[in-house]
Amino acid sequence: MRVIVNIQLKEGVLDPQGKAVHHALSSLKFNEVQEVRIGKQIILDINETDKKVALERVQVMCEELLANTVIENYTIDFPAC
Amino acid sequence: MRVIVNIQLKEGVLDPQGKAVHHALSSLKFNEVQEVRIGKQIILDINETDKKVALERVQVMCEELLANTVIENYTIDFPAC
């Protein structure tokens, strides 16, 4: 089963990488861009058929290793296919 | 308008960061994990109301700056809210 974990910095946490990309986009004349935030997308292939169990396990993985919950939020998705 | 760009390494391209996370998860007894791939998620706030125009502009941003299309694939999503 494939599970997608999206990790983003919380609102209010400074994102220097996003600021740099925003600046670079402005230099390339993409002036319509107002804000850029950069996070991580982790794709896990898990040997587990029960979606509920998989969700619980991935939540524990996020809390213990994948996300820094002090400064980051995470969401867990199951892609359609 | 909010636009989400997900960037992942292409199939076959080595992902040492994913390998390291996989190894760390195994050390923490998450033995059901078979593969880990790590990519980027870029959230853009764009001053543009036309979805079609926004999609075209973000595609150009991806090709010119955000993604390295030699080794990376990207997808562009418009979140529901």
Side-chain angles (χ1 to χ4, degrees):
Chain A
M1 177 181 286
R2 177 156 288 195
V3 187
I4 297 179
V5 180
N6 293 314
I7 300 171
Q8 283 288 340
L9 288 169
K10 288 182 181 175
E11 289 283 321
V13 178
L14 211 67
D15 179 6
Q17 198 187 356
K19 283 264 182 298
V21 169
H22 188 183
H23 184 77
L25 285 170
S26 299
S27 306
L28 292 169
K29 311 282 179 223
F30 293 108
N31 297 314
E32 70 268 51
V33 178
Q34 292 174 314
E35 207 194 344
V36 182
R37 302 282 285 176
I38 297 186
K40 276 178 286 188
Q41 185 179 57
I42 302 175
I43 299 181
L44 300 163
D45 282 322
I46 293 185
N47 190 12
E48 172 63 62
T49 50
D50 187 334
K51 206 166 163 177
K52 196 162 158 266
V53 175
L55 178 63
E56 281 171 11
R57 289 289 283 169
V58 175
Q59 265 171 344
V60 179
M61 291 179 207
C62 287
E63 296 288 332
E64 287 188 12
L65 181 77
L66 301 178
N68 177 352
T69 52
V70 177
I71 56 167
E72 291 172 331
N73 289 323
Y74 62 88
T75 57
I76 299 169
D77 294 318
F78 295 87
C81 55
Chain B
M1 177 182 285
R2 177 156 288 196
V3 187
I4 297 180
V5 180
N6 292 313
I7 301 171
Q8 283 289 339
L9 287 168
K10 288 183 181 175
E11 290 283 320
V13 178
L14 211 66
D15 179 5
Q17 199 188 354
K19 283 265 183 295
V21 169
H22 188 184
H23 184 76
L25 286 170
S26 300
S27 307
L28 292 170
K29 311 285 181 220
F30 293 108
N31 297 313
E32 70 268 51
V33 178
Q34 293 175 313
E35 208 193 344
V36 182
R37 302 282 286 175
I38 297 186
K40 276 177 287 189
Q41 185 180 58
I42 302 176
I43 299 181
L44 301 162
D45 281 321
I46 293 184
N47 190 11
E48 173 62 61
T49 49
D50 188 333
K51 205 167 163 176
K52 194 161 160 268
V53 175
L55 177 62
E56 281 172 11
R57 289 289 283 171
V58 174
Q59 264 172 344
V60 179
M61 290 178 206
C62 287
E63 296 289 332
E64 286 189 10
L65 180 78
L66 302 178
N68 177 352
T69 53
V70 177
I71 56 166
E72 291 172 330
N73 289 323
Y74 63 88
T75 58
I76 299 169
D77 294 317
F78 295 87
C81 58

